[in-house]
Amino acid sequence: MKKHNFYAGPSILSQYTINNTAEAIRNFAGTGLSILEVSHRSKEFTAVIDEAQQLVKELLEIPEGYQVLFLGGGASMQFCMVPFNLLNKKAAYIDTGTWASNAIKEAKLFGEVDVVASSADKNYTYIPKNYTVPADADYFHFTTNNTIYGTETRHDPDLNVPLVADMSSDIFSRPVDVSKYDVIYAGAQKNLAPSGVTIVIVKESALGHVERPIPTMLDYRTHVKKGSMFNTPPVLPIYSALQTLKYYKELGGIRAMERLDLAKAELLYEAIDSSKMFAGTVNPEDRSIMNVCFVMKPEYAELEKEFLELATSKGIVGIKGHRSVGGFRASLYNALPIESVKVLVDAMNEFEKKH
Amino acid sequence: MKKHNFYAGPSILSQYTINNTAEAIRNFAGTGLSILEVSHRSKEFTAVIDEAQQLVKELLEIPEGYQVLFLGGGASMQFCMVPFNLLNKKAAYIDTGTWASNAIKEAKLFGEVDVVASSADKNYTYIPKNYTVPADADYFHFTTNNTIYGTETRHDPDLNVPLVADMSSDIFSRPVDVSKYDVIYAGAQKNLAPSGVTIVIVKESALGHVERPIPTMLDYRTHVKKGSMFNTPPVLPIYSALQTLKYYKELGGIRAMERLDLAKAELLYEAIDSSKMFAGTVNPEDRSIMNVCFVMKPEYAELEKEFLELATSKGIVGIKGHRSVGGFRASLYNALPIESVKVLVDAMNEFEKKH
């Protein structure tokens, strides 16, 4: 049976990415070797990482003065790498969920952290709007998309300090004004590649302004200088990332992806809003295009398990909500076809008719 | 043409590992989904990581009180994680090559580092033997196999302090007395898996004795507590690692691998030693079983390129020596069949007859 993959991450990748990765495991770039067993210094792989860096720059229209890195360790490692490299005295953070809160915890090891706002009071069901960022902050850190709670900031705030963003779960779903940022980072396992690589976009002039010694592997300058090849990079995840980037370019780039993403989200949110049984969990204006969180209305709460069973019978995978929210979460990443959303909506309608 | 893969890393993996990984990219554990796009929290993947941890314990006969972790970031990240977690006042290191020297550099950020010996004086062509480790050192760090220079320590030293070892390029090639170690770490991309995961074996009672704050992702206790699932682990590399571990078990375990490795190395070193044109570069008693470094004797030095061309014509890949040593380096990792070594030896003999 065809599966409809709504996992929150690692999550669905395009068939183009999967097929080309499978092929490279048999025979990579005509070398007669598997991509799993070629040197990262081989000319065939250096061509891969070079092209991947170039395509990220092209797709996100990254201005001069920025470097694109592919690092191991996950976005969680960036929670400490960002303040290691950028926090001199004070940084501003906004607390919009679990990952934002984890980033704040790490930053506090390095200096003063001004948490300018938090939506923890309402279980992170909204994005705080009215806050002041101190002008003497080294940077303002925010999580663009809160995977667990289903809220999202789909714009680049105009502030008086440089931005730093964790875009793990919505990078490549909208155009970004990179010039406002010192650092953008994203674990690849949502809109890019299998897990194991983190993309980091770093403004070179933002580096080298802190006094503390930085361990070599945690110093962005190490990886800038060596083009992400200071040590052995995660070869296979980078190869898969390149396939996804090529696929995005072929489909028309980021704006084309955004149109598809908005259409998918609209379809599902409309189904939720017009439903008698289901309800969204977050402030409508802060709804995520990537992760749609919803629950059974209280009077139908006991039917949750039955709906999950119906969904499973239709080939739907990964819509059980995170334990912090409960209910359901449908992740509509770039690679998810709208047909899968229709299958989910049909299942919701069928279920509603039955009860 | 069949390729003979002598890359130093990422390097040859068993066909069993490659085939099973390719299959899982099409359909992982009967889920109908690719291993590239399944949640790390799915029951199918948690079974993978659990079994991989178990098999490492079984194959290396790890005693109680140790945890096996699968981390991102590479062995180079361990160069700072080890002192972050273990270095209170002073640590002892031995400098046997580039990676040992990199590890020393990082440790110096955290406390006093006593470099008990170095073979830098002779371009790392030997392993220093007579050195004293101070009794008040928190640990003694060494690199078991020096991939670049082709030297190896194939035993677990008896010292008065706990050992810490970088076994990136010879783990699973000999039995190890793990009880002597506080930490053993190894980038996977030699004897285990594609790049992107590092295996860390850590003695639980060695943790928690330093005063400094440790960033969450760099604290071994984080990963011990969460079974390597604090954040999203590198799923595909861990899946491939499990295949290799199963393959080792099926072949008879580590002692069986060691017999095969010793036979391969003996074959090649004998060919070098009996040759008129080729010569080994390191002290014979310190020769690595994994990475065989050799050069053309001075009088034949100009024929280096011609031999590389002959080797390439036989399907031999990856024997160009590292720029720090020059000449040739043949890496004979576990997955390399002895037939490939025979092809190389035949090429050497053919070349010698011709000249």
Side-chain angles (χ1 to χ4, degrees):
Chain A
M1 180 176 53
K2 175 161 172 51
K3 299 290 182 177
H4 303 282
N5 182 351
F6 290 90
Y7 273 135
S11 47
I12 188 166
L13 294 173
S14 72
Q15 274 305 314
Y16 181 88
T17 302
I18 292 171
N19 291 343
N20 287 3
T21 303
E23 174 54 30
I25 288 197
R26 296 293 182 191
N27 186 353
F28 165 57
T31 57
L33 298 174
S34 170
I35 181 78
L36 302 177
E37 53 172 6
V38 291
S39 171
H40 60 299
R41 306 269 178 211
S42 65
K43 68 177 188 305
E44 293 84 2
F45 183 71
T46 52
V48 166
I49 197 165
D50 288 349
E51 189 179 359
Q53 287 166 343
Q54 209 44 56
L55 271 176
V56 172
K57 286 185 178 177
E58 183 181 331
L59 288 167
L60 289 177
E61 299 172 18
I62 298 178
E64 289 294 305
Y66 285 81
Q67 287 291 331
V68 176
L69 310 176
F70 294 97
L71 305 182
S76 292
M77 189 65 89
Q78 299 305 310
F79 297 164
C80 74
M81 280 180 77
V82 164
F84 241 130
N85 285 270
L86 301 182
L87 203 169
N88 243 319
K89 289 211 171 138
K90 181 158 76 173
Y93 279 69
I94 184 165
D95 175 25
T96 57
T98 304
W99 305 112
S101 156
N102 284 358
I104 290 165
K105 183 182 165 212
E106 300 309 304
K108 285 179 175 170
L109 296 175
F110 298 88
E112 189 188 337
V113 176
D114 188 340
V115 181
V116 298
S118 171
S119 48
D121 58 339
K122 292 186 179 167
N123 200 31
Y124 297 118
T125 51
Y126 69 103
I127 305 281
K129 303 293 180 315
N130 297 312
Y131 51 82
T132 307
V133 173
D136 62 343
D138 295 317
Y139 59 84
F140 171 73
H141 178 283
F142 70 119
T143 312
T144 51
N145 184 65
N146 300 286
T147 324
I148 291 177
Y149 299 94
T151 61
E152 188 177 17
T153 300
R154 287 189 71 80
H155 66 278
D156 313 302
D158 278 309
L159 293 172
N160 45 356
V161 302
L163 305 179
V164 173
D166 176 356
M167 295 194 182
S168 291
S169 52
D170 66 355
I171 195 165
F172 302 121
S173 79
R174 66 170 176 95
V176 173
D177 182 356
V178 175
S179 70
K180 292 181 177 176
Y181 293 82
D182 272 1
V183 171
I184 292 170
Y185 61 92
Q189 65 272 16
K190 322 285 185 177
N191 271 341
L192 189 59
S195 65
V197 65
T198 299
I199 185 171
V200 182
I201 300 162
V202 59
K203 186 177 195 168
E204 288 180 82
S205 63
L207 303 178
H209 304 306
V210 296
E211 294 287 326
R212 71 178 66 82
I214 308 174
T216 306
M217 279 292 287
L218 302 173
D219 191 333
Y220 289 131
R221 290 170 299 182
T222 302
H223 305 291
V224 166
K225 195 174 159 195
K226 296 286 188 176
S228 303
M229 298 274 262
F230 171 73
N231 70 330
T232 312
V235 168
L236 185 283
I238 293 172
Y239 181 81
S240 297
L242 173 61
Q243 307 316 307
T244 301
L245 294 164
K246 285 177 165 181
Y247 174 76
Y248 288 166
K249 183 174 176 179
E250 195 161 307
L251 285 188
I254 300 306
R255 283 172 184 81
M257 297 317 305
E258 185 177 39
R259 279 193 296 277
L260 296 169
D261 290 334
L262 290 170
K264 287 183 286 181
E266 196 182 345
L267 180 62
L268 183 51
Y269 280 122
E270 275 185 6
I272 291 167
D273 289 342
S274 62
S275 158
K276 290 200 177 72
M277 301 182 75
F278 298 97
T281 57
V282 307
N283 187 18
E285 71 177 27
D286 299 324
R287 281 171 165 178
S288 168
I289 301 305
M290 296 281 109
N291 311 99
V292 177
C293 292
F294 57 106
V295 291
M296 289 284 182
K297 288 183 180 172
E299 58 269 37
Y300 300 104
E302 81 283 4
L303 295 176
E304 197 172 285
K305 195 165 160 253
E306 193 185 325
F307 178 67
L308 272 179
E309 283 163 5
L310 175 71
T312 305
S313 77
K314 308 279 184 191
I316 290 168
V317 177
I319 61 159
K320 194 166 162 33
H322 190 276
R323 63 184 179 281
S324 315
V325 178
F328 312 102
R329 173 176 53 175
S331 296
L332 315 181
Y333 296 121
N334 288 3
L336 187 83
I338 198 162
E339 290 66 32
S340 289
V341 185
K342 286 178 182 155
V343 169
L344 174 58
V345 168
D346 288 347
M348 290 164 70
N349 291 337
E350 179 184 326
F351 194 70
E352 203 155 323
K353 263 183 206 135
K354 187 180 158 195
H355 290 285
Chain B
M1 181 175 56
K2 175 160 172 52
K3 299 289 183 176
H4 303 283
N5 183 350
F6 290 91
Y7 273 136
S11 47
I12 188 166
L13 294 173
S14 73
Q15 274 305 314
Y16 181 88
T17 301
I18 292 171
N19 292 341
N20 288 2
T21 303
E23 173 54 31
I25 287 196
R26 296 291 182 193
N27 186 353
F28 165 55
T31 57
L33 298 174
S34 169
I35 181 80
L36 303 177
E37 54 172 6
V38 291
S39 171
H40 59 300
R41 305 270 178 211
S42 65
K43 68 178 189 305
E44 292 84 2
F45 183 71
T46 52
V48 165
I49 197 165
D50 288 349
E51 189 179 358
Q53 287 167 343
Q54 210 43 56
L55 271 176
V56 171
K57 286 186 179 177
E58 184 181 331
L59 288 167
L60 289 176
E61 298 171 20
I62 298 177
E64 288 295 306
Y66 286 81
Q67 287 291 330
V68 176
L69 310 175
F70 295 96
L71 305 181
S76 292
M77 189 65 89
Q78 299 305 311
F79 297 164
C80 73
M81 281 180 76
V82 163
F84 241 130
N85 285 270
L86 301 181
L87 202 169
N88 243 319
K89 291 211 170 139
K90 180 158 77 174
Y93 279 69
I94 184 166
D95 175 24
T96 56
T98 304
W99 305 112
S101 157
N102 285 357
I104 289 165
K105 182 182 164 212
E106 299 309 304
K108 286 179 175 169
L109 297 175
F110 299 88
E112 188 188 338
V113 176
D114 188 340
V115 181
V116 299
S118 170
S119 48
D121 58 339
K122 292 186 179 167
N123 200 32
Y124 298 119
T125 52
Y126 68 103
I127 305 281
K129 303 294 182 312
N130 297 311
Y131 52 82
T132 308
V133 173
D136 62 344
D138 294 317
Y139 58 85
F140 171 73
H141 178 284
F142 70 118
T143 311
T144 51
N145 184 64
N146 301 284
T147 323
I148 291 177
Y149 300 94
T151 61
E152 189 177 17
T153 301
R154 288 189 69 80
H155 66 278
D156 312 302
D158 278 309
L159 293 171
N160 44 355
V161 302
L163 305 179
V164 172
D166 176 357
M167 296 194 183
S168 290
S169 52
D170 67 353
I171 196 166
F172 302 121
S173 80
R174 65 170 177 95
V176 172
D177 181 355
V178 176
S179 71
K180 291 181 177 175
Y181 293 83
D182 273 0
V183 170
I184 293 170
Y185 60 93
Q189 66 271 16
K190 322 284 187 178
N191 271 341
L192 189 59
S195 66
V197 65
T198 299
I199 185 170
V200 181
I201 300 162
V202 58
K203 187 177 194 168
E204 289 181 80
S205 63
L207 303 177
H209 304 306
V210 296
E211 293 287 327
R212 71 178 63 84
I214 309 174
T216 306
M217 279 292 287
L218 302 173
D219 190 331
Y220 289 131
R221 289 170 300 182
T222 302
H223 305 291
V224 166
K225 196 174 158 194
K226 295 286 188 177
S228 302
M229 297 275 261
F230 170 73
N231 69 330
T232 312
V235 168
L236 185 284
I238 294 171
Y239 181 81
S240 297
L242 173 60
Q243 307 316 307
T244 302
L245 294 164
K246 284 177 164 180
Y247 174 76
Y248 288 167
K249 183 173 175 179
E250 194 160 308
L251 285 188
I254 300 305
R255 283 172 184 80
M257 296 318 304
E258 184 176 38
R259 279 192 297 276
L260 296 169
D261 289 334
L262 290 170
K264 287 183 287 180
E266 194 182 347
L267 180 61
L268 182 52
Y269 281 122
E270 275 184 7
I272 292 167
D273 289 342
S274 62
S275 157
K276 290 198 178 71
M277 301 182 74
F278 298 97
T281 58
V282 308
N283 187 17
E285 73 177 25
D286 299 324
R287 281 172 163 178
S288 168
I289 301 306
M290 296 280 110
N291 310 98
V292 177
C293 293
F294 57 107
V295 292
M296 289 284 184
K297 288 183 180 172
E299 58 269 36
Y300 301 104
E302 81 282 3
L303 294 177
E304 199 172 283
K305 193 162 160 257
E306 192 185 326
F307 178 68
L308 272 179
E309 283 163 5
L310 175 73
T312 304
S313 77
K314 308 279 185 192
I316 290 167
V317 176
I319 61 158
K320 193 165 164 33
H322 190 276
R323 63 184 180 281
S324 316
V325 177
F328 312 102
R329 173 176 53 175
S331 296
L332 316 180
Y333 295 121
N334 287 3
L336 187 84
I338 197 161
E339 289 67 32
S340 290
V341 185
K342 286 177 183 156
V343 169
L344 174 58
V345 168
D346 288 348
M348 292 164 71
N349 291 337
E350 180 184 325
F351 194 71
E352 202 155 324
K353 263 183 208 136
K354 188 179 157 196
H355 292 284

